[in-house]
Amino acid sequence: MPKPCTCTDKMAGLEDDDNFDEEIFQETALLSFPQEVQNVLDEILPSDDPIDSPEFNPVDYINTLFPTEQRLDDNIRGVVRGQTNVGEDGREALEEAQRAIQDLFSKIKDIKDKAEKSEEMVKEITRDIKQLDHAKRHLTASITTLNHLHMLVGGVESLTSLSRRRQYGDVANLLQGVQNVLEHFQPYMAIPQIRELADRVKQMQAELGTQIITDFEEAFQGSGAKYGPGNQRQLKEACFVVNILDPKVKRDLLTWFVRLQLSEYLVLFGENQDVAWLDKIDRRYAWIKRTLVDFEEKFGHLFPVDWEVSERICVEFCDITRKELHKIMGKRRSEIDVKLLLFAIQRTTNFESLISKRFTGVTIQTAQTKPAASKPAPARNPFEEQTYPEGNNPFAEDAGSAGESDDSKTPTKALSSPFIGIISKCFEAHLDIYIESQDRNLADLLTRFLEDFRQYGTPRIESEEGSNVLPSSADLFVCYKKCMVQCSQLSTGQPMIDLSRTFQKYLKEYALRILLNNLPKLSAQSSNMTSATGLIQSILKEGEVTKLTEEEQCRICSILCTAEYCMETAQQLEEKLKEKVDVELITKIDLNTEQDIFHNVISNCIGLLVQDLETACEPALTAMCKMSWSSVEAVGDQSGYVTAISGHLKAALPLIRDNLASSRKYFTQFCVKFANVFIPKFIGSLYKCKSVTAVAAEQIVYPPLQLLLDTHSLKTVLLDLPSLGSSISRKAPASYTKIVQKGMTKAEMLLKVMMSHHEPAKAFIDNYIRLLNDSDISEFQKILEMKGLKRSEINTLLELYRAHLPVSMAIGRQVSMERTGSSGTMVTTPEPESSRIRKLEKLIKKRL
């Protein structure tokens, strides 16, 4: 066994190790190489470190790095003694710097003084040079001014001589130069001689203007007119002089000449002349056309092109014609009929269109075009998927004006031309004659529509491809468009507002007389029917019901489609009218009331169709209530009343759907309204079935089972209602499916409650709340009466239900959440259920 190591042994071991290391160090430190080896090592590994030196002495090296205490004291003493002289040296340096600054300031002042003296010397040297420069400039200006003065004096003398000899070509060239030279003397107008020359030039210009106008008058006016080849050049050059003279001379000359050209027109078409009346208005325009052609041939080359003399003659003709027509129509208003008025308007607008293409209108001082109206963004048509019958949209971009002759299609130019309306505006004050005539025409048109409707009736649509819109509606809006276009060419002001009111009047008349008054009448039907809830049933004494014929059903569908077409087209008519009228009158165009009337017609049509179909199903529901349900001992196929209801629906729906093929959304509304009316009535009929259930605890009750089977069959038929009898399979709209699912599921839950036993009472009430969570105490009482319970049992259950009511409301909300999934569809009824209900459900599934 080894001997344990003690602390003394450990210390001894450490001392031995230290002695061993010291020996090795001494041996290594004393190691030395031969000189040759040492030299080779120095070459291979050169080093400046004193430690690597062979003569390295550690003691000297350490003393070098760490001086002795005496040496440190000597260094400190030297530094302290050296600092005693620093203050004195600083004061001496500051004084030296101040002396240097004073010397520098003195030198700068000397330099500044010398610079000022140099500047004065330069000014004295250049003063004479400046005087010479100013003298040269003034001399040049004086020579230029003298030259201009010489030119001015010579030009004035030459102008006087040339003017007397009527050498207008030279006068035009010289006069422009004299005017340019005279502008240089504007600063010298205070000098009397210069002022005299300027006045003389001005007087000469006035004399030239008078002389030239006189020359033109002598050449063109009077019996001794001198115009001919001899003076054509002189008059043409005189026009160049007129361009240089005061603009008033040009205006006076042109005014005189234009009136001279139209003097014959004032005589021929005077107020007392036969050709002045509207029936011969086209002779006025034929005369001006001939006059303009003759002017261009004879005098067109005489006047400068930029004078636009032909346009000035035409504009003056238009102004005179407008005033004369306004005057004569005011005096003979009683002689104006709509035919004569339209003839005059047509000929006038044709002439305006012609001259708007020929002339630019630059000579018209006042722009006669109204600024383009900032059109509001058209409201998006909510029925944009609605397709109009072919050719029935009168406001389409490519729709032509039916019945409009080629002569009535007036070519128009952009409204930017000032010639559009320059004459025809005089007819605006008499457009009431046109509007009254259109009022009478529309009244006659509606009477004809009514007679045609009564004579020919409405078409029957045999397929889903055709349109069921009355042709009269399209004819009405085509007539509206034609009237609007004609009126807007003459006025965009109050006459357009009056015309829009006439449109509104006959839109109402059409809706009431043609559409609403021709709807079939059912007995006991309200005259103002606005919703399906306002429809009431009508049963004949023998048990038969009033039912619409197929022709009447087709008529209702046709009126519905026509009302939809009129409602949408009236909206487009309103937008077009707003585009035509002035901006400040846009707010006065409003056809919303008329659109509401057509919407009410649509509602009435849907209500009639729903009422008819509901009335047809009424006998079957009555038969269901009168059945002896207590005698039902087995569950068979669907009952006879279900077959009767299905037969009525299958007979009526294809015809209605085909006739509403162009109005799919309103067919969907019809289905939705029928479901909202029929399902509550069916549930109400269920409540009228008495003694439906037995009271045995575990006995299968066949009457409610048969009713449940019938309810499910009706539910299947109603879900397929939109596509009954259709060759095209379409999925029913989600909104309609949701209504049917909700209503018929309630009927099924009601029957399930009826099949459950009423004892124990608490379980029965809980089951009722679970299945019919949105029900109330009145429905609960009806179910108890259907079960055939005694009055005492009913009262007891009602009291328990009232006491349970606050709790049932919370349970009902929870059950509602459990019975509706995330998608909102009904899920299976929660457990527990009685064994009898499960058996009945299995039996129904087996039967179906």
Side-chain angles (χ1 to χ4, degrees):
M1 206 177 156
K3 184 179 180 181
C5 182
T6 61
C7 192
T8 306
D9 294 337
K10 291 180 179 181
M11 293 298 296
L14 291 175
E15 291 178 358
D16 294 339
D17 291 340
D18 292 340
N19 295 332
F20 178 75
D21 292 339
E22 185 178 356
E23 292 176 358
I24 294 175
F25 176 76
Q26 290 177 356
E27 291 178 0
T28 304
L30 296 176
L31 182 62
S32 60
F33 297 101
Q35 186 63 36
E36 295 81 1
V37 176
Q38 187 64 42
N39 294 335
V40 173
L41 288 177
D42 291 341
E43 292 177 359
I44 296 174
L45 301 173
S47 176
D48 296 331
D49 193 346
I51 298 178
D52 295 333
S53 176
E55 292 84 9
F56 175 73
N57 189 341
V59 176
D60 294 339
Y61 182 73
I62 291 174
N63 290 333
T64 302
L65 294 178
F66 304 101
T68 59
E69 180 179 358
Q70 181 179 0
R71 185 177 175 180
L72 290 175
D73 291 341
D74 293 340
N75 291 338
I76 292 172
R77 189 178 301 108
V79 170
V80 172
R81 289 177 179 176
Q83 291 296 323
T84 56
N85 299 326
V86 171
E88 186 64 25
D89 294 341
R91 283 191 296 271
E92 292 178 356
L94 179 60
E95 292 174 356
E96 183 65 24
Q98 289 176 348
R99 286 193 297 270
I101 291 172
Q102 289 177 355
D103 294 341
L104 180 61
F105 182 76
S106 300
K107 292 178 181 179
I108 291 174
K109 186 175 180 181
D110 293 340
I111 294 172
K112 183 178 179 182
D113 294 338
K114 291 179 181 180
E116 291 176 353
K117 292 178 181 179
S118 300
E119 184 178 1
E120 290 295 332
M121 187 180 298
V122 171
K123 287 181 179 180
E124 291 177 358
I125 295 172
T126 59
R127 184 177 294 111
D128 296 336
I129 298 175
K130 288 183 179 180
Q131 290 177 354
L132 291 174
D133 185 56
H134 287 309
K136 179 183 177 181
R137 186 163 54 250
H138 293 161
L139 182 60
T140 303
S142 299
I143 294 173
T144 304
T145 303
L146 288 175
N147 288 334
H148 287 164
L149 182 59
H150 177 72
M151 293 170 59
L152 181 60
V153 173
V156 171
E157 295 297 333
S158 299
L159 279 176
T160 304
S161 176
L162 293 173
S163 299
R164 291 194 187 102
R165 295 195 300 270
R166 285 176 168 76
Q167 297 178 1
Y168 293 124
D170 296 333
V171 169
N173 295 328
L174 186 57
L175 180 60
Q176 185 64 54
V178 168
Q179 287 183 343
N180 295 335
V181 171
L182 192 59
E183 292 179 359
H184 294 283
F185 287 94
Q186 291 299 324
Y188 309 105
M189 285 300 170
I191 301 174
Q193 292 80 1
I194 302 299
R195 169 63 64 182
E196 181 181 353
L197 284 173
D199 293 341
R200 188 174 175 185
V201 172
K202 187 179 296 184
Q203 181 182 359
M204 188 178 303
Q205 289 177 337
E207 292 174 354
L208 275 172
T210 304
Q211 178 177 311
I212 291 173
I213 292 177
T214 303
D215 291 344
F216 269 90
E217 291 176 351
E218 292 177 354
F220 292 99
Q221 198 170 17
S223 57
K226 302 177 182 179
Y227 179 74
N231 60 355
Q232 285 184 4
R233 180 178 178 182
Q234 176 183 331
L235 295 177
K236 183 175 182 180
E237 292 175 348
C239 294
F240 298 148
V241 178
V242 172
N243 273 335
I244 303 173
L245 298 177
D246 187 5
K248 182 178 181 298
V249 177
K250 177 182 176 181
R251 289 197 300 269
D252 293 343
L253 176 61
L254 289 175
T255 301
W256 168 83
F257 186 80
V258 169
R259 289 179 180 176
L260 177 65
Q261 299 300 311
L262 295 176
S263 58
E264 180 184 358
Y265 173 73
L266 294 174
V267 176
L268 292 176
F269 296 91
E271 184 179 343
N272 55 351
Q273 300 296 325
D274 292 339
V275 294
W277 188 229
L278 298 180
D279 58 345
K280 298 180 178 62
I281 195 172
D282 50 350
R283 296 189 181 182
R284 294 175 180 266
Y285 307 131
W287 182 91
I288 189 61
K289 292 176 185 176
R290 291 193 304 269
T291 301
L292 290 176
V293 172
D294 292 343
F295 168 79
E296 292 291 344
E297 292 178 354
K298 295 180 180 180
F299 313 119
H301 63 281
L302 191 62
F303 300 95
V305 177
D306 60 333
W307 282 22
E308 299 286 354
V309 181
S310 296
E311 181 176 317
R312 293 178 186 274
I313 295 173
C314 186
V315 171
E316 183 66 19
F317 167 82
C318 293
D319 291 339
I320 294 174
T321 303
R322 183 182 66 254
K323 295 174 183 178
E324 291 296 322
L325 288 177
H326 178 73
K327 185 192 303 182
I328 195 171
M329 284 192 296
K331 292 181 179 180
R332 303 172 62 177
R333 180 179 175 86
S334 59
E335 302 178 30
I336 304 176
D337 58 15
V338 66
K339 184 177 180 181
L340 180 61
L341 181 64
L342 289 179
F343 169 79
I345 291 173
Q346 176 189 339
R347 294 295 188 268
T348 302
T349 53
N350 285 342
F351 175 73
E352 290 173 348
S353 176
L354 177 64
I355 61 177
S356 68
K357 295 176 181 178
R358 170 62 179 83
F359 303 116
T360 60
V362 295
T363 62
I364 299 178
Q365 297 298 324
T366 304
Q368 299 180 12
T369 56
K370 68 183 182 71
S374 56
K375 302 174 185 176
R380 186 175 178 83
N381 189 346
F383 312 112
E384 64 175 353
E385 295 182 0
Q386 173 71 26
T387 56
Y388 285 96
E390 185 176 359
N392 275 8
N393 185 2
F395 300 104
E397 293 298 329
D398 55 348
S401 299
E404 195 172 338
S405 64
D406 293 339
D407 293 338
S408 63
K409 294 180 182 178
T410 304
T412 57
K413 193 179 179 181
L415 290 179
S416 58
S417 173
F419 289 101
I420 300 299
I422 191 172
I423 300 176
S424 57
K425 68 172 61 175
C426 67
F427 298 111
E428 183 173 345
H430 305 277
L431 284 180
D432 57 324
I433 299 174
Y434 171 76
I435 295 174
E436 291 172 1
S437 172
Q438 294 304 319
D439 189 291
R440 293 190 296 271
N441 292 339
L442 290 172
D444 296 339
L445 189 63
L446 253 66
T447 302
R448 180 167 62 84
F449 289 163
L450 187 59
E451 293 175 356
D452 293 345
F453 189 92
R454 292 173 179 173
Q455 182 177 359
Y456 301 108
T458 55
R460 174 171 176 174
I461 306 301
E462 300 294 343
S463 66
E464 298 186 7
E465 302 297 330
S467 170
N468 206 11
V469 176
L470 295 177
S472 59
S473 61
D475 295 341
L476 178 66
F477 282 103
V478 168
C479 182
Y480 282 174
K481 180 183 178 183
K482 181 178 179 181
C483 297
M484 179 182 65
V485 171
Q486 289 179 342
C487 187
S488 63
Q489 290 175 349
L490 304 175
S491 172
T492 56
Q494 186 60 36
M496 285 293 292
I497 303 299
D498 298 336
L499 184 64
S500 69
R501 290 170 182 167
T502 302
F503 290 167
Q504 290 177 274
K505 172 184 175 181
Y506 286 98
L507 283 176
K508 294 178 183 177
E509 289 286 328
Y510 187 85
L512 298 176
R513 294 175 57 190
I514 306 298
L515 301 182
L516 196 59
N517 287 352
N518 284 289
L519 287 175
K521 302 296 188 295
L522 291 176
S523 60
Q525 177 186 336
S526 173
S527 60
N528 185 19
M529 178 175 50
T530 58
S531 64
T533 57
L535 302 175
I536 62 174
Q537 64 180 2
S538 175
I539 303 177
L540 299 179
K541 295 181 180 180
E542 291 81 5
E544 297 180 355
V545 296
T546 302
K547 190 177 184 302
L548 296 174
T549 64
E550 290 187 358
E551 180 182 355
E552 290 174 332
Q553 290 178 341
C554 291
R555 188 195 311 169
I556 293 174
C557 294
S558 180
I559 291 175
L560 187 152
C561 295
T562 303
E564 180 189 14
Y565 166 77
C566 292
M567 180 175 64
E568 296 178 359
T569 313
Q571 180 182 357
Q572 296 183 9
L573 174 63
E574 178 182 347
E575 295 173 358
K576 293 295 182 181
L577 287 170
K578 289 181 177 180
E579 293 176 2
K580 300 291 184 182
V581 301
D582 296 333
V583 179
E584 62 272 12
L585 298 178
I586 287 179
T587 56
K588 294 185 178 181
I589 304 292
D590 186 6
L591 301 184
N592 287 330
T593 302
E594 289 68 33
Q595 296 179 43
D596 293 340
I597 293 175
F598 286 114
H599 189 271
N600 289 336
V601 173
I602 294 173
S603 299
N604 287 343
C605 293
I606 295 176
L608 272 174
L609 294 174
V610 171
Q611 180 187 9
D612 176 61
L613 193 56
E614 175 198 0
T615 304
C617 298
E618 182 67 26
L621 296 178
T622 303
M624 179 186 74
C625 298
K626 294 181 178 180
M627 284 183 62
S628 178
W629 292 102
S630 59
S631 61
V632 176
E633 298 180 353
V635 177
D637 293 335
Q638 64 184 22
S639 302
Y641 72 91
V642 177
T643 303
I645 292 175
S646 300
H648 288 309
L649 296 180
K650 291 178 181 179
L653 260 295
L655 180 66
I656 296 175
R657 182 180 57 249
D658 293 344
N659 281 272
L660 294 181
S662 60
S663 302
R664 295 294 304 174
K665 60 181 177 182
Y666 291 115
F667 175 71
T668 301
Q669 287 189 19
F670 158 74
C671 294
V672 169
K673 286 190 176 182
F674 174 74
N676 282 328
V677 171
F678 176 78
I679 293 176
K681 181 166 286 191
F682 173 72
I683 294 176
S685 299
L686 286 178
Y687 286 133
K688 296 178 182 179
C689 298
K690 305 298 181 182
S691 302
V692 175
T693 59
V695 296
E698 291 296 331
Q699 178 182 353
I700 295 179
V701 283
Y702 294 104
L705 181 58
Q706 182 65 48
L707 282 173
L708 190 59
L709 177 63
D710 295 342
T711 301
H712 190 83
S713 299
L714 276 178
K715 179 180 179 180
T716 303
V717 173
L718 290 176
L719 287 174
D720 197 39
L721 183 68
S723 59
L724 279 179
S726 175
S727 58
I728 302 175
S729 178
R730 284 193 179 100
K731 186 178 180 181
S735 58
Y736 171 77
T737 303
K738 184 177 180 180
I739 292 173
V740 174
Q741 288 281 11
K742 181 178 180 181
M744 297 306 290
T745 300
K746 180 178 180 180
E748 292 174 345
M749 296 299 106
L750 185 149
L751 292 173
K752 288 184 179 182
V753 172
M754 291 170 55
M755 289 186 294
S756 62
H757 201 267
H758 64 280
E759 291 181 355
K762 186 177 183 305
F764 175 73
I765 293 174
D766 290 341
N767 188 41
Y768 171 78
I769 295 172
R770 187 180 302 111
L771 297 178
L772 296 171
N773 58 293
D774 57 347
S775 184
D776 55 16
I777 193 170
S778 62
E779 290 187 349
F780 182 65
Q781 183 175 354
K782 292 177 182 179
I783 293 175
L784 298 180
E785 292 173 354
M786 288 178 65
K787 293 176 69 66
L789 301 180
K790 298 177 181 179
R791 176 55 56 185
S792 59
E793 293 176 328
I794 292 176
N795 293 335
T796 302
L797 288 172
L798 288 176
E799 290 297 329
L800 289 174
Y801 181 80
R802 290 190 186 96
H804 199 65
L805 194 59
V807 179
S808 67
M809 294 176 66
I811 295 176
R813 286 193 295 268
Q814 181 179 359
V815 171
S816 177
M817 294 175 62
E818 294 174 354
R819 291 176 61 185
T820 55
S822 60
S823 61
T825 57
M826 298 298 294
V827 296
T828 57
T829 305
E831 294 292 341
E833 290 263 358
S834 64
S835 59
R836 291 186 298 116
I837 294 178
R838 287 197 297 271
K839 292 178 181 179
L840 292 175
E841 288 180 345
K842 292 179 182 179
L843 183 59
I844 290 174
K845 291 179 181 179
K846 184 177 180 181
R847 288 283 185 178
L848 295 176

